[in-house]
């Protein structure tokens, strides 16, 4: 059975040292402190498997320490009280105050060893439970990521975008803050795919997505794949003046990728067209309506020659 980390709390120096030595000889890791306040301070740092706690201490009783630890640290760790009193009422009170067992002083070696074996089994099961819980949390996190993530670009997918944009609209409407929505489209992407092949087409989209993730990953910013070669960026608390700067920055970032596009009638590298709308929501707008509006603005950018952005106010 694996060794336990035991936090020993006893204000009597000699008894504390003697018991600490016994525990160490049994193969456990021991942290011994002299007061309840020290125990409360040391507890989260030491992360014990077991707390051996003297009931009668001058600064703070053992039951008070146990009560504080149970409140501050919901992750249950067994507590064994130590006391020179063997009255049934005292034992019952100690258990009611958060204890799991009770040992009468002077501590009998055989009794101590037996109780520690029982606690080792509990500690082992507790560690297994924590490991299982951690594995489940990691699995759930991965599953959640897969559900909300576009498989090719690793950006947020359309499903997650719809959900977050609805939240953005509602929150900005309640707080009277400006919201910006940018829709961008890779220029002449069908020609790129036909000429370079679908594998290179995928790599192109991935490169654009990486640039979006790099530039729009702060709190209140969301970059997502809308579908095909179209992407959407939502910017919280962003007015038209700032949004124009973001569109200019994004245009330059994509150009600096210098992805060759010999079949483009706009440039010899991959470029993007952008439609942008900034407004202060009422909170009543629908996600579908906002997509329609920003898509129309994007279409104007394409009509005007591509590799540019068109900004519009929504009222």
């Amino acid at each position: 059975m694996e060794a336990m980390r035991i936090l020993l709390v006893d204000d009597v120096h000699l008894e504390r040292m003697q018991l600490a030595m016994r525990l160490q000889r049994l193969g456990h890791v021991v942290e011994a402190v002299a007061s309840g306040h020290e125990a409360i301070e040391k507890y989260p740092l030491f992360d014990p498997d077991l707390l051996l706690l003297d009931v009668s201490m001058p600064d703070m009783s053992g039951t008070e320490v146990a009560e504080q630890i149970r409140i501050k640290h919901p992750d249950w760790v067994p507590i064994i009280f130590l006391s020179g009193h063997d009255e049934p009422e005292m034992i019952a009170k100690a258990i009611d105050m958060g204890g799991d067992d009770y040992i009468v002083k002077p501590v009998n070696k055989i009794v101590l060893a037996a109780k520690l074996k029982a606690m080792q089994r509990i500690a082992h099961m507790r560690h297994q439970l924590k490991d299982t819980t951690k594995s489940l949390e990691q699995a759930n996190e991965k599953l959640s990521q897969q559900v909300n993530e576009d498989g090719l670009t690793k950006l947020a997918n359309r499903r997650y975008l719809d959900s977050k944009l609805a939240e953005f609209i509602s929150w900005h409407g309640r707080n009277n803050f400006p919201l910006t929505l940018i829709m961008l489209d890779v220029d002449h992407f069908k020609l790129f795919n036909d000429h370079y092949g679908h594998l290179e087409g995928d790599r192109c989209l991935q490169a654009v997505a990486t640039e979006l993730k790099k530039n729009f990953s702060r709190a209140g910013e969301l970059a997502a794949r809308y579908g095909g070669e179209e992407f959407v960026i939502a910017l919280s608390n962003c007015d038209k003046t700032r949004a124009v700067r973001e569109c200019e920055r994004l245009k330059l970032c994509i150009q600096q990728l210098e992805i060759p596009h010999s079949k483009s009638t706009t440039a010899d590298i991959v470029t993007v067209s952008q439609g942008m709308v900034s407004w202060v929501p009422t909170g009543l707008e629908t996600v579908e309506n906002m997509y329609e509006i920003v898509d129309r603005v994007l279409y104007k950018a394409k009509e005007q020659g591509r590799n540019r952005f068109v900004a519009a106010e929504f009222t």
Side-chain angles (χ1 to χ4, degrees):
M1 196 72 71
E2 62 191 88
M4 290 187 292
R5 297 172 62 81
I6 301 175
L7 179 58
L8 170 62
V9 191
D10 195 323
D11 63 307
V12 180
H13 178 76
L14 183 59
E15 292 183 358
R16 184 173 69 251
M17 292 301 99
Q18 287 177 338
L19 185 52
M21 289 173 62
R22 280 195 202 175
L23 297 170
Q24 289 167 345
R25 281 197 294 266
L26 290 170
H28 302 293
V29 179
V30 181
E31 181 72 32
V33 298
S35 72
H37 291 295
E38 284 184 83
I40 291 172
E41 183 179 340
K42 185 70 67 173
Y43 186 92
L45 303 174
F46 185 62
D47 189 24
D49 298 307
L50 172 65
L51 183 59
L52 286 177
L53 184 55
D54 189 19
V55 172
S56 302
M57 295 184 290
D59 70 324
M60 191 177 192
S61 73
T63 53
E64 289 173 328
V65 175
E67 186 177 21
Q68 287 294 312
I69 285 175
R70 292 299 191 217
I71 292 171
K72 293 181 179 180
H73 306 284
D75 183 22
W76 176 82
V77 168
I79 297 174
I80 297 180
F81 281 113
L82 306 171
S83 176
H85 298 277
D86 60 357
E87 298 88 349
E89 294 79 12
M90 179 69 77
I91 297 173
K93 181 182 178 183
I95 301 301
D96 287 342
M97 294 301 291
D100 299 286
D101 207 336
Y102 193 99
I103 297 178
V104 178
K105 294 181 179 180
V107 178
N108 181 279
K109 294 180 182 180
I110 297 174
V111 172
L112 177 65
K115 290 184 181 291
L116 289 180
K117 280 186 180 179
M119 292 300 163
Q120 277 182 286
R121 298 188 193 107
I122 293 173
H124 179 68
M125 289 187 290
R126 180 171 166 268
H127 289 166
Q128 285 186 320
L129 179 60
K130 289 178 73 173
D131 290 343
T132 301
T133 301
K134 185 177 180 180
S135 297
L136 285 173
E137 288 174 351
Q138 290 173 341
N140 286 334
E141 184 179 347
K142 185 176 181 179
L143 180 61
S144 176
Q145 184 180 30
Q146 290 173 341
V147 168
N148 295 323
E149 185 179 83
D150 176 63
L152 176 66
T153 64
K154 306 306 178 183
L155 291 177
N157 60 20
R158 174 67 182 275
R159 173 182 173 277
Y160 186 72
L161 172 65
D162 290 351
S163 173
K164 294 304 292 185
L165 184 55
E167 292 178 16
F168 272 27
I169 291 171
S170 177
W171 186 86
H172 285 74
R174 289 197 306 272
N175 293 279
N176 201 36
F177 287 152
L179 175 63
T180 289
L181 199 61
I182 301 170
M183 182 176 284
L184 60 140
D185 183 282
V186 178
D187 293 329
H188 307 295
F189 186 70
K190 185 178 185 305
L191 294 175
F192 185 97
N193 250 347
D194 290 345
H195 180 67
Y196 294 101
H198 290 287
L199 184 59
E200 285 301 316
D202 287 349
R203 288 173 179 160
C204 173
L205 294 179
Q206 288 169 337
V208 171
T210 298
E211 203 64 24
L212 297 183
K213 185 179 290 187
K214 183 170 69 177
N215 285 277
F216 299 100
S217 59
R218 293 168 295 188
E221 298 179 345
L222 175 65
R225 188 182 184 190
Y226 184 74
E229 68 271 23
E230 289 186 321
F231 300 87
V232 167
I233 300 166
L235 301 174
S236 177
N237 198 16
C238 176
D239 60 16
K240 184 178 179 181
T241 301
R242 178 192 156 201
V244 167
R245 293 197 302 269
E246 297 291 359
C247 288
E248 290 173 340
R249 184 166 67 94
L250 179 54
K251 175 186 173 183
L252 182 61
C253 286
I254 300 302
Q255 288 176 337
Q256 288 176 340
L257 292 174
E258 296 184 340
I259 301 172
H261 192 349
S262 62
K263 296 299 179 180
S264 172
T265 57
T266 302
D268 59 359
I269 58 173
V270 167
T271 59
V272 295
S273 299
Q274 304 174 66
M276 178 268 286
V277 59
S278 296
W279 85 108
V280 177
T282 63
L284 302 176
E285 297 88 347
T286 66
V287 170
E288 291 75 14
N289 182 232
M290 294 315 305
Y291 288 150
E292 290 173 3
I293 292 169
V294 75
D295 185 59
R296 286 199 297 268
V297 182
L298 171 61
Y299 187 74
K300 289 181 181 179
K302 294 180 181 180
E303 284 186 323
Q304 294 176 18
R306 302 177 190 263
N307 190 27
R308 67 191 65 228
F309 64 87
V310 171
E313 293 283 359
F314 172 72
T315 57

